[in-house]
Amino acid sequence: MDALRDDLEANHPEIGLVDFSFYNLEVFNRCEHENALLLAVPQWEGVHPLLKILPVDWEHTIPFGFLHSPRPAPAVRSLIRTVTGDEKQALTSGFMPVNQTILPFSAPAGYS
């Protein structure tokens, strides 16, 4: 995200950037009401009925991962082993970075 911000500030000073603590319904509503752009990932398609996700063709990436309990359930431990091959580091930090090109996110049935 820092590289994207640096690029926009250096090459597109006409774009006003707005910071917020985390994505929530208030941020989505504000974006819609102010007719603003919001950086999002494709998995958020449909998160707000009045927002549409459009793909961009640039070299910027967004790192992401899974947050989990310090004592995750057996199913979560199994996922961590499957993705990383070793759960020790992820379990001690409570955060497991995930490479989107290796493991794209797909919500389980019943989640929206």
Side-chain angles (χ1 to χ4, degrees):
M1 295 295 289
D2 291 336
L4 175 58
R5 172 180 286 279
D6 292 345
D7 181 24
L8 290 173
E9 287 176 342
N11 299 305
H12 303 281
E14 70 280 8
I15 297 175
L17 301 176
V18 177
D19 293 313
F20 48 90
S21 299
F22 55 91
Y23 288 94
N24 60 21
L25 191 55
E26 180 182 335
V27 170
F28 296 125
N29 285 334
R30 179 177 170 190
C31 178
E32 190 274 326
H33 288 290
E34 295 178 4
N35 198 25
L37 294 175
L38 179 70
L39 182 63
V41 294
Q43 292 83 359
W44 291 2
E45 185 76 41
V47 73
H48 191 284
L50 299 176
L51 297 178
K52 180 177 181 178
I53 293 183
L54 301 173
V56 292
D57 184 19
W58 58 24
E59 296 298 318
H60 299 288
T61 60
I62 300 173
F64 70 96
F66 297 118
L67 295 175
H68 58 78
S69 163
R71 291 181 295 271
V76 175
R77 293 176 81 96
S78 177
L79 173 67
I80 292 169
R81 274 192 302 276
T82 299
V83 172
T84 66
D86 177 18
E87 66 186 86
K88 185 176 180 181
Q89 192 274 334
L91 291 176
T92 57
S93 70
F95 178 75
M96 180 182 67
V98 177
N99 179 337
Q100 184 177 5
T101 60
I102 294 173
L103 184 71
F105 176 76
S106 191
Y111 280 52
S112 50

